[in-house]
Amino acid sequence: MIELKGGKTAPLLLDDLSSYDPRRPTAALFNHLVSLPRQHENGGVPSIPWYRAQCKHKWAIKDSQCNLPLIIGRPDPNVVSTVAAFCEHCRCHLDLSVDFRGGGTDFCPSEASPLHHFRYQPELSRLRYKPENGSKSDNLQDWEDLTWFQCSSIDCSAKLKIRIRSPRLRPEWVNLLTDQSLIKSRSESAISDDPARFEGIAVPQPCDVLSNLRTYIMNALKDPSPRNIQANNKRWLLCLGDPCSELLEYIGFRREDDSWLVPQPDTSELPPISNPLNILLDDVEKELLALLLQRPDDERRVTKVQYILSSATRDLSKALGTSDYRQNPSSRTATSQGPEHPSYPSLGAKLDFHDDLIKFAYERQLVVDPDNVPYYLESLQTIADGRKSEELHTLVAIEASSGKVSAQDVRDAYKLLDLDLASAYLDEDVIIGTFQSRVADAPRQEAELRRALQIIGQDRSSEKIQFMASKTVTNYEQALSWLGATTDMDDEFIVAMYKVKEEDNLGEEATARQAVSLIAQHRKSAALKQWLDTGVLGEVEMDVSQAYNRLQIDDRTIGDDFVLSAFTLFYQESPSQVDDLRSALRAIAKDRKSQTLLNFLDSGMASSEYPLGEWPVGLANIGNTCYLNSLLQFYFTMKPLRELVLDFDEHIMTLTAENLVKKVVGSRKISRQEVQRAQSFVYRLQKLFESMITSPRAHVAPELELARLTLVTQPLEAALRRRSTTTGHRPSLGEINGEPVMGPLPLSIPEAATNGTNPTEQLAGPQMNGVNESAEMDNSSEETLLGNDPAEDGVDRDMLDPNSEQCQLQQQQIFEDKENLPPFKEPSECPRTPDSNLRPLGESSPSRTNEQAPVAEPNRDFPHSNSAKKAEQAVIAPPPSRPPPFPPRPRTDDQKQAIVEEVQIGAQQDVTEVISNVLFQLECAIKADSFDPSGEQIDLIKQLFFGKQRSYTLNLQGVLRTKEQFFSSLIVDVASGPKDIYEALDGAFDEQEVEVEGSLRPQYTTITRLPPVLKVMVQRVQFDQEKASAFKSINHLGLKETIYMDRYMDSEDDDLIQRRKESWEWKRQLRQLAARRADLSKTELDMEMPDVLTAAKEFLDQLSEDDAFEIPEGLQQDIEKAAVQSRDELTFIDDRIKDLTACISSQFVDKREVPYRLQSVFIHVGSATFGHYWIYIRDFEKNVWRKYNDESVSAVTDLSQIFDQDPSDRPPTPYFLVYVKDDLADRLVDPVCRNVPEDVRPQPGPEPSDTLMNDVVVDDNTALTGHEDGGQGAMAATGGWLKADNKGQKVAW
C-alpha cells in the first residue's frame, strides 16, 4: 500500500479538528487530523477508521488568550493570529495559530488559491507526555499534541500550528469537586468540629463547590490586592478545605498559618495574556465553567447557576480563511454519495464544495503528492460520477488525454495481463516477460497490451517497463535494456551485444547505435566513443561503479580484506576472466588509493608489511568456504595436531583385520571405508599444511576434495548419493564408441601395468586444480556389480571358518555397506551366521550411515607416502577368467560439478557437525595409543580435544545416579539475552530438571577431566515458532581473556559444593523474579502494568462523568491502589535482581586454580541462513591477535572488535571459542610456522588454485608419539599426552 502524502483544505481540516482526540488513536494508528483515507482496495470504497470513545469536540472560546484576525481585509504579515479554545465535553485545550511572517505575495484565500491547502509537517510535529508546573501527575495525564502544517501555495507563506493540551484539572481533582459523597464527607467533618458555628448550614452541592472555587479564581484575576482567605472560613471549609490542598496548591494557593494566600497573577496584563500563572488560572476557570454546565439541570436551577459559553467556530473559521467559501448545497442530494464518502477527504475536500473547489483540491493534491496521481484521479472520477457533474467529467477526460491514469486503469491493466497487483513477487522482469508472452499468444491485441504495459510502467515509475511499452531508447537504463546488457558489463561486452542486436534486429541499426551512444555518454567512455567514430574499440578502463558491480559489492565501505575475498572467489570460479577481474580490482584500488590492493595486484600479496617467513598465510575462498578456512587455520596453529598431520606416516593405522575389529571411535565400530576416507582426508590436510609452511605467496588454496571431506560428513555424503540415484537428474558417466555408459565401470589395473604406468597413479586419476579427482568414490560399487576373483585379495573365502574373526569382520563390512549391495542375489562367499552375531552401529557415532561407495586407499592418492611405496612393490594379480571390464573413463564435467555441489551443501552444515567430522576423521585415520575399559580408542586427538564430564541425577527413589562420558566441546546459549562467558557456561553445568521415568528430577553436571584445548560452541541459531523459521540471536557474549574452570570441576570440597547450591538457589530466585517482572511489564497494550491500571482508572473516571454509565463505588480507588502496589513491586524486583546478580558474579571470584586463556574466536556476520566467517587467533609468544579472513591475515590493533559489543543492526558475533590451558599455552599454540625457500620469490597476480608447494622437508625430531603404557596416566585432569625428545624419552607436557 503506497503512503499518501497529500494535504487538506482548510474547511476539511477544521472539521477533522473537531473529531481529533490524541489520547485515543484510531485503529491501525490512523491519525484523523493529518491522514487521508486508506487507498481503495480492488476498487472498493476505503474506510475512515473511527474509535467510539473519541470526543466530538465542541470548542468554546477563551477570549483573554486570543489574538483574533481582522474581520475585514487581508492578513497582517507581521502578526500571528491565535485562537484559544477549550472543549466543553473533555475540557482539553486548543491553541490554533496562523503565522504569515515567512513572506509571500498573495495570501490565501485569493483568486488563484481560494482556500488554504495545508500539508502536514511531520518533522516539526510531536505528541509528548510531561509533568507540568512541578505536579506529581504521571505522564499519562499531562500531555501535549503539537501538529504543524504549511500552506502548499507558492505565493502563500501561512504556517499553521495546532496545539492540543490535556485538561488542567486531573480526574481525581474533578472527583473532589463533583463527587457528592466526598463533598458530604468533608463538610460533615468540618461541621462536627464546631456544630454550633455551622448550625442551620446545609451541605453544599457540587455546583456550589465549583461556583465558589471559580469565584475565588476570578477575583484573583481581577483584584490586584486580593484578601487572603481564613482557613476557618465557613464556605471555604465546607466546599474545599484541607482535603483539596493538592489541587489548591497546583492552582497557586498557599497555606500560611491560619490563612490561605490566594494566587498572585499579573492583573495588569492585557489580552492576549502570556503570563504562565494567568494562563493557568484562565484555563482552570474555563474548565470549572464547563464542569458547571455538565451538572444536571435541576441541580443548576436550585443553585441558580446559569452560564453560556461562546462557540469558537466562527473565530476558527476566520483564522483559517474559511468563512465564505463557495458551496454546492445540491451535492447533498446526490443519491450515490453519502455524507461520509471518503472520496472527498481523499482530495482534501468537503462534500459541500463547489465543483471549482473540487478541481482546486484535486490539482493541489497532484502538486504535493505526484506519486499517487492514480489514486486522486480515481477519487475525482468517483465524485464526478456521484454528482453527475459535466464540469468534473470534462476534467477527468482532459487528465486521461494527457496520459494520466486512474487507480481503476491500473487495476484493469494488471487484469488484462493476468497479473496479481498485490503479489510481492511481481518485479519488472516478471511483468515484461508476461507481456511478451501475451503478445506472442495474441498478436492482434498488441496495441491494447502495450497500452496496459505503459500504464503499469507509469504506475510503478519504471523506466524499463515504459521503455518496453514505447519501443524507444532515450536514456542509459533504456539503452542497457534494449541491448540486453547490465551495468556491470564492460565496454567490450557492450560492443559485442550491439553486434548481436544488429544481426537479430535488421533495420534497427540506428536504434542500436543510439543505445551505444547513450551508454558512452553516461560512462564517459572514450573507448566507446572511439568505436562509434572509427569502428575500433579504444583501450577500456573500467569505471569504479562497474568495478564494484563486477565483484558484486553493494557496500563500498567494506574493508580491503572483503574486497580481496570477493576478487579471489570470482577468480576461483572463472580463472579465464582474470584480466577482467584485475581491471575491476585496479579501478577500486585507485578509487580508494589503497596500497594494500595495489600491493596485491603487483606481488600477489595483500600487504608488504610482514616478511614472508614471519607471518601466516591466508587461505583462498573456493566457494562459501570461509568457515572451512577459519577451521583449518585454527587446527594449523595447534602445534601437536599440526606435527601429527605432517608426520602422518608414523601415526597411520594399518588396515589389518585385527586393527579394524578393535577400532572403536565415538562408542561405535569403524568400517574399513571410513578409515580409508579418513586417511585420504589427513593426507590432503598434510599437503595443505606443507603448502602453508613453504608457500612464497600471501595465501594458498585448499583442494576442493579436502573441502568436501571436511565439510561433508559421511551420512550427508551417503544421503546426497542416494538422492543422485533416485532423482531424475543424474550426472553423465560419459560414452564409449558413441554409446552412453549406463553404470559404474572398473579401473583396469593390468592395463596400467602393461603400459608401464604406476598403478597407484592410474588409480588416482587426473589431477584438476590441485584436487585429486579420482574415481575412488565408485570403486566398491564397481567391484560389487562386476565381481572380483575370490583370490584377488589373497584370501580363500571358501576355507574361512564361520566363527573366525576374519569371517565376522567380513559380515560386519557387509552390514555396514548394505546400501551398496547389488539388486540381484550373489553367491555367498562366507558361511552365513545368524543376524544376532552382527554388531550394530553405535548410537553416539558422528557418522551413523556408511557412504554410498568407499574411497580408494589413501596411498593411491599420495604416491610419495610410505604405504604407497609398498603398493608399488606389490605383485599385481592376473585378470580373472571372465569377460574383460570396460576401459577407464575420464571424469566428466558433471562429476566435477557434483563435487562442487557437495562442497556447497557441506558449507551449509551445522558448525558442530563439521568440527566433529574433522576430529572423527583424525581419530579414524590414526592408530590407537590405548583403549579405555569400554573399548574406546585413546589417542592424541582424544587427549588434546576431549574431556570428560559426569552428570548427577536424583531418581524417584532418592538415589543419586552418575554417568560419565567424553565431550569435545561445551555448548552455551545466548538466546535469552546478553551474557558474559561465565553466565553462558553456567547454563551447561547448573542444576536443571530432566525427565526421569515420567517425572522431572534435578540433574547437574561437572567436569572430571579438562582437555588441554577447551572448545566452546555458542548456540545462536534459534527457531521462531510463530514464523516457523530459523533466526540468529545477536545477543552479546562478553568474553574474557582468562577464565577459571574451578567452579565446574568435579570435587568433594564441601565449600565448593555449598557455593554451587547457593548459586543455583539465587538463579532460581532470579528466574522467578524475571517471570514476575515480565507479567508486570509485558501487556497486550505494550505498557507496564502500573501504567495500564492508571489508564484504566482514567478511563473509568471519564465514564463516570456520563450518567449513562454506572461505575461500582470504590472501583477507581481500588484500581489506583493496585497501580501503586504494582509500581512498588516493580521497584522491589529491580533492586532484588541487581543484588542477586552481584552475589552470583562474586560467588567464585577467589577460585583461580584452573586458568584457561582465550586462543581463538570464530566470528560470524549475517543471518541464520547466510553470512561470512573469519577467525581471530592469539599468538601468545608475540602477544598479538591476528585476524584470519580467507586470503587476508592482519594484526588486530583494536581489541574492541573481539571483546566489545558492536552496536550495528547485524553485528559480527562469536560463534565458536577456543581456550587453552594456561601453563601449556606456549607449547600448544604456534601460529607462525613458515619455511620459505630463499630462492623462491612471489610472482605478480593471484595464485591459481592448483599451485601447491612440493618437496617439503619436515623436522621429524618434533613428531608426537603415542602412549604404549596401556593408557596409564593418560586421563589426568588436564590431558596426559606425551612428546618424544631427541633421545627418544617420553616427557610429559
Side-chain angles (χ1 to χ4, degrees), residues 870-901:
K870 297 176 184 178
E872 293 177 4
Q873 301 171 1
V875 177
I876 301 174
S881 55
R882 61 183 179 187
F886 292 109
R889 66 189 186 279
R891 183 173 296 277
T892 65
D893 290 339
D894 282 343
Q895 290 171 303
K896 298 172 191 173
Q897 182 61 28
I899 294 179
V900 174
E901 290 176 357

Side-chain angles (χ1 to χ4, degrees), residues 518-566:
L518 288 169
I519 295 172
Q521 294 174 18
H522 180 84
R523 294 184 176 182
K524 300 178 181 178
S525 170
L528 285 179
K529 291 179 181 178
Q530 180 178 330
W531 179 83
L532 288 167
D533 294 338
T534 66
V536 178
L537 185 66
E539 183 178 355
V540 177
E541 182 173 341
M542 190 174 293
D543 178 73
V544 66
S545 298
Q546 292 177 267
Y548 280 108
N549 287 332
R550 180 64 183 88
L551 297 181
Q552 294 187 12
I553 297 174
D554 297 326
D555 183 4
R556 298 192 182 188
T557 64
I558 63 173
D560 289 346
D561 51 351
F562 282 95
V563 175
L564 287 175
S565 295

